[in-house]
């Protein structure tokens, strides 16, 4: 089974690797990094689809499906589970959704291993003098994707425990952030003005607050609290509805249960939804501040426009999920919007620090020469 799964991961990685190989881009390493960014973004979107279709336990074991490498081989077991519990988490469709998600994750792992191998080869070949092949970030990425895989396994073995699923989401977006940072390192950037330093504080603050909001959004999704408030801007007709913060934000507990094992009360779901909804305004203000400052600095105007458009779009999709009763496609797009914000804010943070990085690279080169 493990050999078959490994082959499936290699097969899934074959297309992006082929795209890099046949590309006319002279810098294949850079191309590989950005293709990996694209596939990681797709994986985050498909992970949201897997979670929102309740397919996370479509194959209730890990890494295979009932001990097999694909749902075709496990069809007999899946059919028996579906017949025993027709409304349960195991169906043929959900099994395929879950396994496709795993195949895509393995493909990303293969691409990151390729990036690490190329980086080490280039670093050794250049006698540690070429900073664009510095292998430390690619090596860290390899360890990071292994950690993400471990949380993917625990998501299944711990039966969708909310804190594990939320951490799995945060790690996925952190992986995207690190890959974008690596991609920006490989890009050629024009010199930036001295005013770029003024972007460091708002860009860093916006990114940090965004990750807090993503954690709160993951907590909403994993606790099925998206429809806990169906009116806006009030919640149940009140500014402060009846809420149970203690049970709502107890981290270590089973899905739908309190820490004591009782069913999670509805005021707890209301608290989860209310906090995510209202913290969104803090994040919007921080992102808008960063975007507004970027618009006023030469060379950052485009990133500023993207940032403002992305946060406006995210706000609209968030509101639409309430008024349209959480349609699947819109919920997946809302998750994708969060990934776009991570991507753009990472670019903004990197480019605001280009002068510092250029100085650091020069120092490293001088030390190497000495």
């Amino acid at each position: 089974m493990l050999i078959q799964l490994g082959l499936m991961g290699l097969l899934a990685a074959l297309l992006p690797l082929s795209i890099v190989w046949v590309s006319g881009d002279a810098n294949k390493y850079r191309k590989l990094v950005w293709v990996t960014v694209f596939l990681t973004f797709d994986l985050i979107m498909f992970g949201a689809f897997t979670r929102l279709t309740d397919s996370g336990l479509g194959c209730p074991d890990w890494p295979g499906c009932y001990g097999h490498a694909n749902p075709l081989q496990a069809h007999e077991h899946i059919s028996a589970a579906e017949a025993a519990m027709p409304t349960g988490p195991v169906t043929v469709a959900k099994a395929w959704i879950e396994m496709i998600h795993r195949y895509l994750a393995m493909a990303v792992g293969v691409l990151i291993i390729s990036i690490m191998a190329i980086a080490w080869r280039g670093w050794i070949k250049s006698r540690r003098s070429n900073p664009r092949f510095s292998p430390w970030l690619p090596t860290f990425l390899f360890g990071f994707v292994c950690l993400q895989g471990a949380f993917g396994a625990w998501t299944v073995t711990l039966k969708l425990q909310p804190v594990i699923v939320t951490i799995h989401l945060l790690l996925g977006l952190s992986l995207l952030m690190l890959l974008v940072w690596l991609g920006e390192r490989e890009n050629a950037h024009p010199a930036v003005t001295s005013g770029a330093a003024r972007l460091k504080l708002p860009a860093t603050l916006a990114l940090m607050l965004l990750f807090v909001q993503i954690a709160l959004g993951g907590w909403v999704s994993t606790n099925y609290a998206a429809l806990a408030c169906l009116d806006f801007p009030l919640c149940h007709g009140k500014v402060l509805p009846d809420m149970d913060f203690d049970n709502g934000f107890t981290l270590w507990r089973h899905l739908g249960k309190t820490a004591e094992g009782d069913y999670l009360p509805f005021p707890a779901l209301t608290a989860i939804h209310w906090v995510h909804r209202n913290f969104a305004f803090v994040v919007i203000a921080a992102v808008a501040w960063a975007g507004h400052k970027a618009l006023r600095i030469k060379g950052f105007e485009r990133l500023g426009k993207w940032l403002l458009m992305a946060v406006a779009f995210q706000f609209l999709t968030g509101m639409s999920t309430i008024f349209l009763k959480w349609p699947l496609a819109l919920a997946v797009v809302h998750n994708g919007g969060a990934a776009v914000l991570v991507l753009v804010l990472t670019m903004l943070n990197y480019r605001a620090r280009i002068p510092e990085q250029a100085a650091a690279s020069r120092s490293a080169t001088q030390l190497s020469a000495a």
Side-chain angles (χ1 to χ4, degrees):
M1 180 194 70
L2 292 177
I3 293 173
Q4 288 179 332
L5 283 171
L7 290 174
M8 289 297 297
L10 288 171
L11 185 63
L14 187 60
L15 177 59
L17 287 172
S18 299
I19 290 172
V20 173
W21 182 258
V22 302
S23 167
D25 195 329
N27 190 342
K28 295 286 195 294
Y29 178 60
R30 171 188 171 278
K31 186 77 172 181
L32 176 60
V33 171
W34 282 107
V35 166
T36 307
V37 168
F38 177 76
L39 191 63
T40 302
F41 182 89
D42 292 339
L43 178 61
I44 289 168
M45 292 284 284
F46 199 83
F49 178 74
T50 302
R51 184 174 69 254
L52 293 165
T53 54
D54 296 323
S55 301
L57 295 178
C59 290
D61 53 336
W62 192 92
C65 190
Y66 286 97
H68 296 284
N70 62 73
L72 283 177
Q73 295 172 314
H75 185 79
E76 182 180 346
H77 299 284
I78 295 168
S79 298
E82 187 175 1
M85 191 181 295
T87 59
V90 179
T91 68
V92 173
K94 289 179 180 180
W96 274 110
I97 291 170
E98 170 65 4
M99 289 309 296
I100 290 171
H101 176 60
R102 295 183 194 179
Y103 299 150
L104 285 174
M106 287 188 286
V108 169
V110 170
L111 295 182
I112 288 175
I113 290 171
S114 302
I115 289 170
M116 181 178 66
I118 294 170
W120 274 106
R121 182 177 179 275
W123 184 244
I124 293 169
K125 192 174 180 181
S126 69
R127 296 184 179 181
R128 297 178 293 179
S129 63
N130 191 343
R132 62 178 288 265
F133 283 118
S134 175
W136 311 120
L137 180 53
T139 303
F140 180 76
L141 276 166
F142 172 70
F144 199 89
V145 80
C146 290
L147 177 65
Q148 172 71 334
F151 270 91
W154 293 331
T155 294
V156 177
T157 57
L158 293 176
K159 307 302 180 188
L160 305 182
Q161 189 161 338
V163 68
I164 299 298
V165 180
T166 301
I167 293 173
H168 188 51
L169 170 66
L170 287 170
L171 289 175
L173 287 160
S174 298
L175 180 64
L176 178 68
M177 179 186 69
L178 292 169
L179 282 166
V180 170
W181 192 274
L182 179 61
E184 285 289 284
R185 190 183 80 178
E186 297 306 310
N187 281 349
H189 298 287
V192 297
T193 63
S194 58
R198 297 198 304 270
L199 279 173
K200 288 191 290 184
L201 175 60
T204 301
L205 181 63
L207 187 58
M208 291 173 62
L209 291 174
L210 175 63
F211 267 90
V212 174
Q213 178 68 350
I214 288 169
L216 291 171
W219 197 241
V220 169
S221 179
T222 57
N223 283 282
Y224 298 91
L227 299 180
C229 296
L230 293 175
D231 50 338
F232 180 85
L234 302 178
C235 180
H236 305 312
K238 299 177 182 178
V239 175
L240 293 173
D242 294 332
M243 291 182 282
D244 180 355
F245 289 96
D246 288 340
N247 283 312
F249 289 94
T250 297
L251 298 183
W252 195 256
R253 55 177 173 76
H254 294 294
L255 176 62
K257 299 293 183 69
T258 65
E260 292 75 27
D262 300 321
Y263 285 108
L264 198 65
F266 189 76
L269 300 180
T270 302
I272 293 168
H273 181 109
W274 187 89
V275 171
H276 176 61
R277 176 192 289 193
N278 287 279
F279 192 75
F281 294 105
V282 177
V283 178
I284 289 169
V287 173
W289 178 39
H292 176 69
K293 289 189 75 70
L295 284 174
R296 301 175 65 183
I297 298 175
K298 187 177 179 181
F300 288 86
E301 300 93 340
R302 181 177 295 180
L303 280 179
K305 290 178 183 176
W306 288 352
L307 198 55
L308 292 175
M309 288 190 295
V311 75
F313 179 77
Q314 187 70 346
F315 175 75
L316 290 174
T317 56
M319 291 301 96
S320 299
T321 56
I322 296 171
F323 294 119
L324 299 179
K325 306 295 189 295
W326 195 248
L328 175 62
L330 196 59
V332 172
V333 169
H334 189 60
N335 279 260
V340 169
L341 282 170
V342 168
L343 191 151
V344 179
L345 276 171
T346 302
M347 289 180 170
L348 191 65
N349 272 279
Y350 183 93
R351 295 181 193 183
R353 291 166 171 79
I354 284 177
E356 294 178 3
Q357 293 169 27
S361 295
R362 284 195 298 272
S363 299
T365 302
Q366 290 167 359
L367 286 171
S368 210

